């Protein structure tokens, strides 16, 4: 029993570098283009990428952004979201995009489709960009 108690913390250390986020479950190595929010087409351009374990980055309608992804799949939680500060005609769409993205709590990857949703029934649909 003592041996087991001493071994468990060591096993946990070896798992620390393992990516358990949505990136490890089919979203990595893709650029995801936002198609719709809550069933409505998103007319501006917004891209999402998972460049490395626990990280996100992308391009909103006006600015590039990055952040930390903290939750294991299928959960989705962004922390420390930062963006550049350029102004453009798409700032309203960008604000809508960031608010929706930060509200998402679950993720699903199915082939070339990434769906983010939350418990309130809101949903964002992305497709793999070519």
């Amino acid at each position: 029993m003592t041996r087991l108690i001493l071994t468990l913390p060591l096993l946990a250390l070896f798992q620390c570098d393992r990516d358990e986020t949505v990136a490890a479950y089919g979203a990595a190595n893709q650029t995801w283009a936002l198609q719709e929010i809550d069933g409505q087409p998103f007319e501006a351009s917004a891209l999402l990428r998972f460049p490395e374990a626990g990280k996100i980055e992308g391009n909103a309608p006006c600015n590039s952004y990055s952040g930390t992804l903290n939750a294991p799949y299928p959960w989705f939680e962004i922390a420390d979201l930062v963006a550049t500060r350029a102004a453009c005609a798409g700032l309203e769409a960008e604000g809508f995009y960031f608010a929706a993205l930060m509200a998402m709590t679950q993720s699903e990857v199915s082939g070339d489709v990434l769906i983010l949703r939350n418990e309130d029934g809101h949903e964002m649909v992305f497709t793999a960009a070519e």
Side-chain angles (χ1 to χ4, degrees), residues 38-127:
D38 294 336
Q40 300 299 309
F42 190 72
E43 301 298 334
S45 174
L47 303 174
L48 174 62
R49 290 179 292 280
F50 302 90
E52 61 185 79
K55 301 290 183 186
I56 65 159
E57 67 180 22
N59 300 89
C62 294
N63 292 285
S64 59
Y65 65 92
S66 63
T68 303
L69 195 58
N70 289 330
Y73 187 79
W75 306 113
F76 189 85
E77 179 185 337
I78 297 174
D80 305 321
L81 186 69
V82 296
T84 56
R85 295 180 161 217
C88 78
L91 277 178
E92 184 177 341
E94 181 166 292
F96 188 66
Y97 172 69
F98 283 142
L101 188 64
M102 292 299 294
M104 297 298 114
T105 58
Q106 295 179 341
S107 59
E108 177 184 344
V109 179
S110 181
D112 289 345
V113 177
L114 167 66
I115 300 171
L116 303 178
R117 61 177 62 94
N118 66 23
E119 60 277 354
D120 294 328
H122 297 288
E123 188 173 86
M124 300 175 81
V125 178
F126 295 80
T127 57

Side-chain angles (χ1 to χ4, degrees), residues 15-37:
Q15 296 298 317
C16 287
D17 64 341
R18 198 164 157 215
D19 185 7
E20 292 294 329
T21 67
V22 64
Y25 289 85
N29 303 319
Q30 288 282 359
T31 296
W32 299 95
L34 180 61
Q35 301 301 309
E36 60 184 58
I37 297 177

